Amino acid sequence: MRIGELARRSGVSERSLRYYEAHGLLRAERTPGGHRDYGEWAVDRVIRIQALYAAGLNSKKIAQLLPCMRDGDGTPSESATPRLVDELTAERERLDRMIADLIRSRGVLDDIITTASAGLGSTAFSAGEGTLAGSP
């Protein structure tokens, strides 16, 4: 399939697909006319690349990881190295810390919202300014 069809089917821009190719994340055969030609496997690969970016991995790490994944079903292959497994475990731990930080931040916001909402019933807003009466 041509790059435009891959972009449409994967929901990723042609520019991103060229970027992926330049960074070794995606490969294309070339037609006699020089156009990129991708196999059906490329749709799953691009979707997987997007998921890995969303997980916070950079293109270098993704390029290391992709050979360890099968394109058809995304399951692991046997080509992972112990070092890559260690690095990916560290990435997962980093994500776990980020999730914990976000949960704490949400809890703080929940407390502020609860407190502020309770105060709204007894305090009037200043006309036209959207601030509580008596607040700066």
Side-chain angles (χ1 to χ4, degrees):
M1 83 186 79
R2 296 274 177 92
I3 193 169
E5 182 179 351
L6 179 57
R8 182 184 56 77
R9 289 181 57 191
S10 65
V12 174
S13 72
E14 291 181 23
R15 181 178 179 187
S16 291
L17 296 175
R18 288 185 200 96
Y19 175 88
Y20 297 165
E21 189 174 341
H23 286 84
L25 306 179
L26 187 63
R27 69 183 189 293
E29 300 295 322
R30 294 290 181 158
T31 67
H35 297 282
R36 289 172 174 85
D37 187 34
Y38 299 95
E40 281 296 316
W41 60 269
V43 176
D44 290 334
R45 164 78 51 112
V46 170
I47 291 168
R48 191 164 301 106
I49 291 167
Q50 287 288 292
L52 293 169
Y53 272 125
L57 299 175
N58 61 38
S59 58
K60 183 178 177 182
K61 188 72 66 184
I62 293 171
Q64 292 174 326
L65 177 61
L66 286 174
C68 302
M69 300 172 75
R70 295 185 197 130
D71 281 323
D73 59 10
T75 59
S77 73
E78 294 76 29
S79 62
T81 65
R83 180 177 176 201
L84 179 61
V85 171
D86 289 344
E87 290 174 1
L88 293 174
T89 300
E91 280 295 320
R92 184 183 60 210
E93 290 168 355
R94 182 186 66 81
L95 290 173
D96 287 343
R97 287 189 302 273
M98 288 174 60
I99 290 167
D101 289 345
L102 288 170
I103 290 170
R104 277 191 295 278
S105 295
R106 184 182 61 195
V108 169
L109 285 174
D110 286 345
D111 291 344
I112 293 168
I113 291 167
T114 300
T115 302
S117 295
L120 289 178
S122 61
T123 308
F125 277 98
S126 297
E129 294 184 15
T131 60
L132 293 174
S135 65

